Amino acid sequence: MIPRLATFSLGLVLLIAPAGATSPPASSISPVPDAVWAEMQGKSFNPDIKGCAGRDELRLLVLPYRDYEGKTQQGRMIVHRDVAEVVRAVFVQLYADNSFAIARMELVDAYGGDDDASMAANNTSGYNCRAAAGSARLSSHARGIAIDVNPRTNPFVREGTTSPPAGEDLDTPEEREAHASAPGLISATSAITKAFAAKGWTWGGTWKSSKDYQHFSADGH
């Protein structure tokens, strides 16, 4: 609906928004606040794991999104400062276009830093100081340059194992094709895949030895 015009005797014109119109929720990038950093200790940050991005390298994002019911929400995510603007821009664009749904978005600390619990809750998250799944190698999440999106809808599949287990009904190409229109499901043609590809990021759904349908990263890992 186009805003109507109100004209006053002084020659001023005021744009009046339609009844019920609301502004989109704000997005922001900021250093990690003291309270958030304290909450991260022993959860998403572990000083005993070497190589993880530290506080000065990390940024807290506040991002708008629409949930599976189409309702406007505001979530938080932590990523490396070098990719913060890229991630913010992607999610702001997805919200503006109403082109992709997010089930929920909380810091992984809400789940004690437990990746399995976060995935089971279908939680979209970024930084987590941990090893890569099934490997001793440091995860790209530990460097703050990867995010997992709607993990239950987009599970990680490797050597016959699906994580989280609740994603087993969407862990084969045939099942995913059959449910291509499901909210939050990622495919090669999804708006979120195209948005991150335009920024030079890689989608884990293109991997050969495993399929990490939830995973986007700046380094391809």
Side-chain angles (χ1 to χ4, degrees):
M1 181 182 295
I2 299 174
R4 62 186 178 88
L5 300 178
T7 305
F8 299 91
S9 59
L10 293 178
L12 299 176
V13 177
L14 176 67
L15 284 175
I16 300 178
T22 57
S23 299
S27 65
S28 65
I29 301 173
S30 66
V32 178
D34 291 345
V36 173
W37 183 245
E39 181 65 19
M40 292 169 64
Q41 302 310 300
K43 296 176 182 176
S44 65
F45 181 74
N46 185 340
D48 294 331
I49 301 178
K50 304 304 179 184
C52 295
R55 182 179 184 179
D56 291 346
E57 300 172 273
L58 300 172
R59 293 294 181 266
L60 174 67
L61 307 186
V62 176
L63 301 169
Y65 67 94
R66 288 183 172 85
D67 64 20
Y68 281 13
E69 296 178 348
K71 296 177 181 177
T72 292
Q73 306 289 352
Q74 198 171 47
R76 298 191 301 167
M77 181 187 298
I78 289 178
V79 297
H80 195 280
R81 65 190 176 202
D82 291 349
V83 303
E85 179 53 37
V86 165
V87 176
R88 187 202 70 82
V90 167
F91 280 93
V92 167
Q93 189 62 52
L94 294 174
Y95 179 84
D97 295 344
N98 194 14
S99 56
F100 190 80
I102 301 293
R104 67 174 62 196
M105 186 189 297
E106 301 178 294
L107 302 185
V108 73
D109 307 288
Y111 305 91
D114 186 332
D115 188 51
D116 289 336
S118 182
M119 286 194 297
N122 215 15
N123 182 53
T124 293
S125 65
Y127 177 77
N128 195 4
C129 181
R130 61 174 176 81
S135 169
R137 175 180 59 84
L138 199 65
S139 168
S140 296
H141 290 279
R143 297 166 56 205
I145 57 172
I147 66 171
D148 287 339
V149 178
N150 301 336
R152 195 165 64 210
T153 309
N154 304 290
F156 172 56
V157 185
R158 183 173 183 268
E159 298 178 349
T161 300
T162 299
S163 301
E168 288 181 349
D169 57 343
L170 292 169
D171 65 357
T172 67
E174 295 76 18
E175 289 170 333
R176 299 187 68 76
E177 178 64 27
H179 296 86
S181 61
L185 187 140
I186 301 170
S187 71
T189 59
S190 296
I192 191 169
T193 311
K194 293 179 179 179
F196 272 115
K199 303 293 186 181
W201 283 44
T202 299
W203 175 45
T206 63
W207 294 355
K208 302 302 182 183
S209 61
S210 62
K211 295 294 183 184
D212 201 349
Y213 294 112
Q214 64 199 257
H215 188 84
F216 293 95
S217 65
D219 65 348
H221 299 292

Tab-separated table of all heavy atoms in Angstrom, residues 77-134:
chain	number	residue	atom	x	y	z
A	77	MET	N	24.104	-13.951	16.544
A	77	MET	CA	25.101	-14.881	16.025
A	77	MET	C	26.478	-14.258	16.223
A	77	MET	O	26.631	-13.034	16.116
A	77	MET	CB	24.854	-15.152	14.539
A	77	MET	CG	25.817	-16.134	13.911
A	77	MET	SD	25.598	-16.272	12.110
A	77	MET	CE	23.906	-16.882	12.018
A	78	ILE	N	27.476	-15.084	16.496
A	78	ILE	CA	28.856	-14.614	16.602
A	78	ILE	C	29.672	-15.188	15.454
A	78	ILE	O	29.596	-16.389	15.164
A	78	ILE	CB	29.460	-14.991	17.962
A	78	ILE	CG1	28.814	-14.146	19.068
A	78	ILE	CG2	30.972	-14.808	17.968
A	78	ILE	CD1	29.275	-14.452	20.467
A	79	VAL	N	30.440	-14.310	14.792
A	79	VAL	CA	31.325	-14.716	13.707
A	79	VAL	C	32.620	-13.910	13.803
A	79	VAL	O	32.735	-12.990	14.612
A	79	VAL	CB	30.677	-14.490	12.316
A	79	VAL	CG1	29.424	-15.339	12.153
A	79	VAL	CG2	30.361	-13.011	12.101
A	80	HIS	N	33.578	-14.238	12.955
A	80	HIS	CA	34.829	-13.495	12.906
A	80	HIS	C	34.578	-12.096	12.342
A	80	HIS	O	33.735	-11.914	11.460
A	80	HIS	CB	35.836	-14.242	12.034
A	80	HIS	CG	37.246	-13.762	12.196
A	80	HIS	ND1	37.713	-12.623	11.569
A	80	HIS	CD2	38.290	-14.265	12.923
A	80	HIS	CE1	38.983	-12.433	11.897
A	80	HIS	NE2	39.362	-13.413	12.709
A	81	ARG	N	35.340	-11.131	12.821
A	81	ARG	CA	35.155	-9.744	12.377
A	81	ARG	C	35.346	-9.589	10.875
A	81	ARG	O	34.708	-8.723	10.234
A	81	ARG	CB	36.135	-8.832	13.115
A	81	ARG	CG	37.604	-9.100	12.811
A	81	ARG	CD	38.554	-8.359	13.724
A	81	ARG	NE	39.945	-8.728	13.450
A	81	ARG	CZ	40.927	-8.584	14.312
A	81	ARG	NH1	40.689	-8.090	15.521
A	81	ARG	NH2	42.164	-8.933	13.986
A	82	ASP	N	36.202	-10.437	10.263
A	82	ASP	CA	36.472	-10.306	8.832
A	82	ASP	C	35.293	-10.702	7.959
A	82	ASP	O	35.247	-10.327	6.773
A	82	ASP	CB	37.691	-11.148	8.445
A	82	ASP	CG	38.995	-10.596	9.004
A	82	ASP	OD1	38.995	-9.452	9.510
A	82	ASP	OD2	40.010	-11.319	8.953
A	83	VAL	N	34.358	-11.500	8.496
A	83	VAL	CA	33.203	-11.937	7.703
A	83	VAL	C	31.898	-11.372	8.244
A	83	VAL	O	30.823	-11.680	7.715
A	83	VAL	CB	33.120	-13.481	7.634
A	83	VAL	CG1	34.405	-14.061	7.056
A	83	VAL	CG2	32.823	-14.088	8.998
A	84	ALA	N	31.963	-10.549	9.276
A	84	ALA	CA	30.745	-10.065	9.936
A	84	ALA	C	29.830	-9.311	8.977
A	84	ALA	O	28.615	-9.529	8.959
A	84	ALA	CB	31.110	-9.179	11.127
A	85	GLU	N	30.388	-8.429	8.170
A	85	GLU	CA	29.556	-7.644	7.259
A	85	GLU	C	28.952	-8.515	6.165
A	85	GLU	O	27.798	-8.302	5.761
A	85	GLU	CB	30.362	-6.511	6.638
A	85	GLU	CG	29.570	-5.651	5.657
A	85	GLU	CD	28.256	-5.112	6.233
A	85	GLU	OE1	28.211	-4.774	7.431
A	85	GLU	OE2	27.269	-5.038	5.473
A	86	VAL	N	29.684	-9.515	5.704
A	86	VAL	CA	29.144	-10.444	4.709
A	86	VAL	C	27.923	-11.170	5.260
A	86	VAL	O	26.865	-11.240	4.618
A	86	VAL	CB	30.216	-11.465	4.267
A	86	VAL	CG1	29.578	-12.641	3.522
A	86	VAL	CG2	31.263	-10.793	3.392
A	87	VAL	N	28.056	-11.729	6.451
A	87	VAL	CA	26.953	-12.478	7.055
A	87	VAL	C	25.768	-11.559	7.333
A	87	VAL	O	24.614	-11.901	7.050
A	87	VAL	CB	27.417	-13.180	8.342
A	87	VAL	CG1	26.244	-13.873	9.037
A	87	VAL	CG2	28.518	-14.198	8.033
A	88	ARG	N	26.036	-10.384	7.868
A	88	ARG	CA	24.956	-9.429	8.131
A	88	ARG	C	24.218	-9.096	6.837
A	88	ARG	O	22.981	-9.115	6.792
A	88	ARG	CB	25.512	-8.151	8.757
A	88	ARG	CG	24.406	-7.169	9.222
A	88	ARG	CD	24.916	-5.756	9.338
A	88	ARG	NE	25.195	-5.206	8.022
A	88	ARG	CZ	24.260	-4.682	7.229
A	88	ARG	NH1	22.995	-4.644	7.602
A	88	ARG	NH2	24.592	-4.219	6.042
A	89	ALA	N	24.959	-8.797	5.775
A	89	ALA	CA	24.344	-8.407	4.512
A	89	ALA	C	23.467	-9.519	3.938
A	89	ALA	O	22.370	-9.261	3.415
A	89	ALA	CB	25.423	-8.012	3.511
A	90	VAL	N	23.934	-10.761	4.039
A	90	VAL	CA	23.150	-11.886	3.513
A	90	VAL	C	21.820	-12.017	4.252
A	90	VAL	O	20.753	-12.116	3.626
A	90	VAL	CB	23.954	-13.199	3.603
A	90	VAL	CG1	23.030	-14.409	3.373
A	90	VAL	CG2	25.084	-13.205	2.585
A	91	PHE	N	21.849	-11.995	5.570
A	91	PHE	CA	20.613	-12.200	6.324
A	91	PHE	C	19.672	-10.999	6.220
A	91	PHE	O	18.444	-11.172	6.187
A	91	PHE	CB	20.921	-12.538	7.778
A	91	PHE	CG	21.293	-13.977	7.978
A	91	PHE	CD1	22.626	-14.377	7.957
A	91	PHE	CD2	20.314	-14.949	8.133
A	91	PHE	CE1	22.968	-15.709	8.104
A	91	PHE	CE2	20.644	-16.285	8.277
A	91	PHE	CZ	21.975	-16.670	8.264
A	92	VAL	N	20.211	-9.804	6.137
A	92	VAL	CA	19.359	-8.632	5.942
A	92	VAL	C	18.665	-8.719	4.585
A	92	VAL	O	17.471	-8.415	4.461
A	92	VAL	CB	20.187	-7.340	6.059
A	92	VAL	CG1	19.393	-6.135	5.545
A	92	VAL	CG2	20.593	-7.101	7.506
A	93	GLN	N	19.390	-9.162	3.560
A	93	GLN	CA	18.783	-9.291	2.235
A	93	GLN	C	17.720	-10.387	2.207
A	93	GLN	O	16.649	-10.207	1.606
A	93	GLN	CB	19.859	-9.595	1.196
A	93	GLN	CG	19.360	-9.530	-0.245
A	93	GLN	CD	18.857	-8.149	-0.608
A	93	GLN	OE1	19.560	-7.163	-0.410
A	93	GLN	NE2	17.633	-8.053	-1.110
A	94	LEU	N	17.996	-11.519	2.855
A	94	LEU	CA	17.002	-12.599	2.903
A	94	LEU	C	15.728	-12.131	3.589
A	94	LEU	O	14.614	-12.479	3.178
A	94	LEU	CB	17.578	-13.817	3.646
A	94	LEU	CG	18.751	-14.539	2.985
A	94	LEU	CD1	19.287	-15.615	3.901
A	94	LEU	CD2	18.342	-15.122	1.639
A	95	TYR	N	15.892	-11.321	4.641
A	95	TYR	CA	14.713	-10.788	5.333
A	95	TYR	C	13.963	-9.806	4.438
A	95	TYR	O	12.731	-9.869	4.308
A	95	TYR	CB	15.108	-10.098	6.639
A	95	TYR	CG	13.913	-9.509	7.355
A	95	TYR	CD1	13.123	-10.292	8.185
A	95	TYR	CD2	13.543	-8.187	7.155
A	95	TYR	CE1	12.004	-9.773	8.800
A	95	TYR	CE2	12.424	-7.653	7.768
A	95	TYR	CZ	11.660	-8.451	8.591
A	95	TYR	OH	10.536	-7.932	9.186
A	96	ALA	N	14.704	-8.904	3.804
A	96	ALA	CA	14.072	-7.889	2.963
A	96	ALA	C	13.307	-8.520	1.803
A	96	ALA	O	12.216	-8.066	1.430
A	96	ALA	CB	15.134	-6.921	2.435
A	97	ASP	N	13.868	-9.591	1.241
A	97	ASP	CA	13.234	-10.269	0.107
A	97	ASP	C	12.179	-11.277	0.533
A	97	ASP	O	11.457	-11.805	-0.324
A	97	ASP	CB	14.295	-11.010	-0.714
A	97	ASP	CG	15.290	-10.073	-1.374
A	97	ASP	OD1	14.998	-8.866	-1.461
A	97	ASP	OD2	16.360	-10.551	-1.784
A	98	ASN	N	12.130	-11.574	1.835
A	98	ASN	CA	11.241	-12.626	2.337
A	98	ASN	C	11.461	-13.915	1.538
A	98	ASN	O	10.515	-14.562	1.094
A	98	ASN	CB	9.775	-12.199	2.254
A	98	ASN	CG	8.854	-13.104	3.052
A	98	ASN	OD1	9.297	-13.896	3.883
A	98	ASN	ND2	7.562	-13.012	2.790
A	99	SER	N	12.747	-14.267	1.373
A	99	SER	CA	13.091	-15.349	0.453
A	99	SER	C	13.591	-16.621	1.117
A	99	SER	O	13.820	-17.626	0.434
A	99	SER	CB	14.162	-14.856	-0.536
A	99	SER	OG	15.302	-14.355	0.154
A	100	PHE	N	13.788	-16.603	2.460
A	100	PHE	CA	14.265	-17.811	3.125
A	100	PHE	C	13.917	-17.747	4.602
A	100	PHE	O	14.120	-16.718	5.246
A	100	PHE	CB	15.781	-17.969	2.950
A	100	PHE	CG	16.295	-19.300	3.406
A	100	PHE	CD1	16.182	-20.419	2.597
A	100	PHE	CD2	16.872	-19.444	4.665
A	100	PHE	CE1	16.635	-21.653	3.027
A	100	PHE	CE2	17.332	-20.670	5.096
A	100	PHE	CZ	17.209	-21.785	4.276
A	101	ALA	N	13.431	-18.870	5.141
A	101	ALA	CA	12.992	-18.927	6.538
A	101	ALA	C	14.067	-19.533	7.442
A	101	ALA	O	14.799	-20.442	7.035
A	101	ALA	CB	11.710	-19.740	6.654
A	102	ILE	N	14.124	-19.041	8.657
A	102	ILE	CA	15.046	-19.535	9.680
A	102	ILE	C	14.217	-20.029	10.867
A	102	ILE	O	13.344	-19.309	11.363
A	102	ILE	CB	15.997	-18.423	10.158
A	102	ILE	CG1	16.815	-17.872	8.985
A	102	ILE	CG2	16.899	-18.918	11.278
A	102	ILE	CD1	17.794	-18.840	8.384
A	103	ALA	N	14.467	-21.249	11.313
A	103	ALA	CA	13.678	-21.809	12.419
A	103	ALA	C	13.922	-21.046	13.710
A	103	ALA	O	12.992	-20.628	14.413
A	103	ALA	CB	14.003	-23.286	12.611
A	104	ARG	N	15.189	-20.849	14.052
A	104	ARG	CA	15.566	-20.072	15.233
A	104	ARG	C	17.029	-19.681	15.114
A	104	ARG	O	17.782	-20.290	14.358
A	104	ARG	CB	15.324	-20.831	16.529
A	104	ARG	CG	16.210	-22.056	16.729
A	104	ARG	CD	15.997	-22.671	18.106
A	104	ARG	NE	14.622	-23.124	18.265
A	104	ARG	CZ	14.055	-23.415	19.443
A	104	ARG	NH1	14.753	-23.280	20.555
A	104	ARG	NH2	12.814	-23.854	19.514
A	105	MET	N	17.411	-18.654	15.863
A	105	MET	CA	18.794	-18.174	15.810
A	105	MET	C	19.206	-17.699	17.202
A	105	MET	O	18.816	-16.622	17.646
A	105	MET	CB	18.946	-17.040	14.802
A	105	MET	CG	20.389	-16.587	14.592
A	105	MET	SD	20.510	-15.074	13.589
A	105	MET	CE	19.828	-15.647	12.019
A	106	GLU	N	19.972	-18.552	17.876
A	106	GLU	CA	20.483	-18.238	19.204
A	106	GLU	C	21.977	-18.546	19.245
A	106	GLU	O	22.462	-19.374	18.470
A	106	GLU	CB	19.788	-19.083	20.276
A	106	GLU	CG	18.289	-18.926	20.355
A	106	GLU	CD	17.683	-19.833	21.419
A	106	GLU	OE1	17.735	-21.069	21.248
A	106	GLU	OE2	17.189	-19.301	22.418
A	107	LEU	N	22.686	-17.916	20.154
A	107	LEU	CA	24.079	-18.290	20.354
A	107	LEU	C	24.134	-19.739	20.831
A	107	LEU	O	23.281	-20.187	21.610
A	107	LEU	CB	24.746	-17.374	21.374
A	107	LEU	CG	24.733	-15.870	21.048
A	107	LEU	CD1	25.530	-15.106	22.086
A	107	LEU	CD2	25.248	-15.607	19.653
A	108	VAL	N	25.122	-20.474	20.386
A	108	VAL	CA	25.223	-21.888	20.744
A	108	VAL	C	25.417	-22.069	22.251
A	108	VAL	O	25.196	-23.162	22.795
A	108	VAL	CB	26.357	-22.553	19.933
A	108	VAL	CG1	27.716	-22.109	20.459
A	108	VAL	CG2	26.229	-24.062	19.909
A	109	ASP	N	25.770	-20.997	22.944
A	109	ASP	CA	25.907	-21.058	24.402
A	109	ASP	C	24.579	-21.362	25.087
A	109	ASP	O	24.568	-21.874	26.215
A	109	ASP	CB	26.473	-19.735	24.923
A	109	ASP	CG	27.746	-19.366	24.188
A	109	ASP	OD1	28.773	-20.020	24.414
A	109	ASP	OD2	27.693	-18.450	23.349
A	110	ALA	N	23.468	-21.065	24.420
A	110	ALA	CA	22.154	-21.404	24.972
A	110	ALA	C	21.993	-22.918	25.108
A	110	ALA	O	21.122	-23.394	25.841
A	110	ALA	CB	21.048	-20.837	24.087
A	111	TYR	N	22.866	-23.667	24.422
A	111	TYR	CA	22.843	-25.132	24.462
A	111	TYR	C	24.119	-25.668	25.107
A	111	TYR	O	24.528	-26.803	24.849
A	111	TYR	CB	22.672	-25.677	23.035
A	111	TYR	CG	21.460	-25.103	22.360
A	111	TYR	CD1	21.552	-23.943	21.593
A	111	TYR	CD2	20.197	-25.672	22.539
A	111	TYR	CE1	20.427	-23.374	21.014
A	111	TYR	CE2	19.078	-25.116	21.963
A	111	TYR	CZ	19.199	-23.960	21.206
A	111	TYR	OH	18.078	-23.399	20.638
A	112	GLY	N	24.755	-24.832	25.926
A	112	GLY	CA	25.973	-25.235	26.616
A	112	GLY	C	27.157	-25.418	25.697
A	112	GLY	O	28.128	-26.082	26.061
A	113	GLY	N	27.090	-24.840	24.482
A	113	GLY	CA	28.154	-25.047	23.510
A	113	GLY	C	28.103	-26.412	22.855
A	113	GLY	O	29.014	-26.779	22.105
A	114	ASP	N	27.042	-27.169	23.110
A	114	ASP	CA	26.882	-28.532	22.588
A	114	ASP	C	26.297	-28.468	21.176
A	114	ASP	O	25.129	-28.123	20.994
A	114	ASP	CB	25.944	-29.313	23.514
A	114	ASP	CG	25.823	-30.781	23.130
A	114	ASP	OD1	25.986	-31.105	21.940
A	114	ASP	OD2	25.536	-31.601	24.019
A	115	ASP	N	27.117	-28.795	20.193
A	115	ASP	CA	26.680	-28.716	18.799
A	115	ASP	C	25.514	-29.647	18.514
A	115	ASP	O	24.596	-29.304	17.763
A	115	ASP	CB	27.855	-29.033	17.879
A	115	ASP	CG	27.530	-28.789	16.424
A	115	ASP	OD1	27.039	-27.688	16.095
A	115	ASP	OD2	27.780	-29.690	15.589
A	116	ASP	N	25.524	-30.841	19.112
A	116	ASP	CA	24.431	-31.791	18.887
A	116	ASP	C	23.107	-31.230	19.394
A	116	ASP	O	22.070	-31.368	18.730
A	116	ASP	CB	24.731	-33.121	19.582
A	116	ASP	CG	25.851	-33.898	18.914
A	116	ASP	OD1	26.094	-33.676	17.706
A	116	ASP	OD2	26.495	-34.718	19.588
A	117	ALA	N	23.134	-30.594	20.561
A	117	ALA	CA	21.907	-30.024	21.124
A	117	ALA	C	21.407	-28.861	20.282
A	117	ALA	O	20.200	-28.707	20.062
A	117	ALA	CB	22.153	-29.568	22.559
A	118	SER	N	22.335	-28.044	19.803
A	118	SER	CA	21.958	-26.920	18.952
A	118	SER	C	21.341	-27.413	17.649
A	118	SER	O	20.322	-26.877	17.187
A	118	SER	CB	23.191	-26.053	18.663
A	118	SER	OG	22.870	-24.935	17.876
A	119	MET	N	21.928	-28.432	17.058
A	119	MET	CA	21.377	-28.997	15.825
A	119	MET	C	19.992	-29.593	16.061
A	119	MET	O	19.079	-29.401	15.244
A	119	MET	CB	22.318	-30.062	15.258
A	119	MET	CG	23.572	-29.517	14.613
A	119	MET	SD	24.452	-30.746	13.621
A	119	MET	CE	24.917	-31.950	14.865
A	120	ALA	N	19.839	-30.314	17.147
A	120	ALA	CA	18.554	-30.941	17.447
A	120	ALA	C	17.447	-29.910	17.598
A	120	ALA	O	16.277	-30.191	17.305
A	120	ALA	CB	18.668	-31.788	18.711
A	121	ALA	N	17.812	-28.707	18.038
A	121	ALA	CA	16.838	-27.629	18.212
A	121	ALA	C	16.601	-26.858	16.920
A	121	ALA	O	15.835	-25.900	16.900
A	121	ALA	CB	17.306	-26.673	19.299
A	122	ASN	N	17.259	-27.278	15.834
A	122	ASN	CA	17.139	-26.606	14.533
A	122	ASN	C	17.632	-25.163	14.621
A	122	ASN	O	17.080	-24.254	13.986
A	122	ASN	CB	15.703	-26.648	14.011
A	122	ASN	CG	15.625	-26.783	12.492
A	122	ASN	OD1	16.613	-27.114	11.839
A	122	ASN	ND2	14.455	-26.531	11.935
A	123	ASN	N	18.686	-24.980	15.392
A	123	ASN	CA	19.207	-23.644	15.664
A	123	ASN	C	20.289	-23.235	14.677
A	123	ASN	O	21.239	-23.980	14.432
A	123	ASN	CB	19.793	-23.607	17.084
A	123	ASN	CG	20.314	-22.247	17.449
A	123	ASN	OD1	19.608	-21.241	17.331
A	123	ASN	ND2	21.557	-22.175	17.905
A	124	THR	N	20.149	-22.051	14.131
A	124	THR	CA	21.145	-21.477	13.232
A	124	THR	C	22.199	-20.755	14.067
A	124	THR	O	21.861	-19.895	14.883
A	124	THR	CB	20.476	-20.502	12.248
A	124	THR	OG1	19.615	-21.242	11.373
A	124	THR	CG2	21.496	-19.735	11.427
A	125	SER	N	23.482	-21.101	13.860
A	125	SER	CA	24.536	-20.535	14.700
A	125	SER	C	25.837	-20.403	13.930
A	125	SER	O	25.980	-20.931	12.815
A	125	SER	CB	24.756	-21.402	15.943
A	125	SER	OG	25.241	-22.688	15.570
A	126	GLY	N	26.794	-19.715	14.545
A	126	GLY	CA	28.078	-19.483	13.904
A	126	GLY	C	29.233	-20.019	14.712
A	126	GLY	O	29.529	-21.209	14.693
A	127	TYR	N	29.883	-19.137	15.466
A	127	TYR	CA	31.111	-19.483	16.180
A	127	TYR	C	30.900	-20.553	17.232
A	127	TYR	O	29.952	-20.525	18.004
A	127	TYR	CB	31.664	-18.235	16.862
A	127	TYR	CG	32.908	-18.473	17.691
A	127	TYR	CD1	34.152	-18.640	17.088
A	127	TYR	CD2	32.828	-18.535	19.077
A	127	TYR	CE1	35.293	-18.858	17.852
A	127	TYR	CE2	33.969	-18.743	19.846
A	127	TYR	CZ	35.197	-18.908	19.230
A	127	TYR	OH	36.319	-19.120	19.990
A	128	ASN	N	31.846	-21.514	17.259
A	128	ASN	CA	31.903	-22.517	18.317
A	128	ASN	C	33.300	-23.113	18.303
A	128	ASN	O	33.725	-23.693	17.304
A	128	ASN	CB	30.858	-23.616	18.116
A	128	ASN	CG	30.641	-24.449	19.368
A	128	ASN	OD1	31.211	-24.177	20.419
A	128	ASN	ND2	29.800	-25.468	19.265
A	129	CYS	N	34.023	-22.966	19.384
A	129	CYS	CA	35.412	-23.437	19.480
A	129	CYS	C	35.410	-24.951	19.666
A	129	CYS	O	35.312	-25.456	20.785
A	129	CYS	CB	36.109	-22.732	20.654
A	129	CYS	SG	37.834	-23.190	20.884
A	130	ARG	N	35.525	-25.676	18.556
A	130	ARG	CA	35.438	-27.137	18.590
A	130	ARG	C	36.141	-27.717	17.373
A	130	ARG	O	36.452	-27.012	16.403
A	130	ARG	CB	33.975	-27.592	18.608
A	130	ARG	CG	33.175	-27.156	17.376
A	130	ARG	CD	31.779	-27.752	17.379
A	130	ARG	NE	30.938	-27.310	16.277
A	130	ARG	CZ	30.963	-27.806	15.044
A	130	ARG	NH1	31.819	-28.775	14.742
A	130	ARG	NH2	30.148	-27.347	14.117
A	131	ALA	N	36.338	-29.027	17.407
A	131	ALA	CA	36.895	-29.735	16.255
A	131	ALA	C	35.799	-29.959	15.215
A	131	ALA	O	34.603	-29.923	15.528
A	131	ALA	CB	37.491	-31.062	16.688
A	132	ALA	N	36.213	-30.187	13.985
A	132	ALA	CA	35.265	-30.530	12.936
A	132	ALA	C	34.655	-31.895	13.233
A	132	ALA	O	35.298	-32.766	13.833
A	132	ALA	CB	35.969	-30.547	11.582
A	133	ALA	N	33.414	-32.092	12.832
A	133	ALA	CA	32.729	-33.357	13.082
A	133	ALA	C	33.505	-34.517	12.473
A	133	ALA	O	33.897	-34.477	11.304
A	133	ALA	CB	31.315	-33.305	12.503
A	134	GLY	N	33.752	-35.556	13.297
A	134	GLY	CA	34.444	-36.748	12.830
A	134	GLY	C	35.907	-36.541	12.518
A	134	GLY	O	36.510	-37.315	11.774
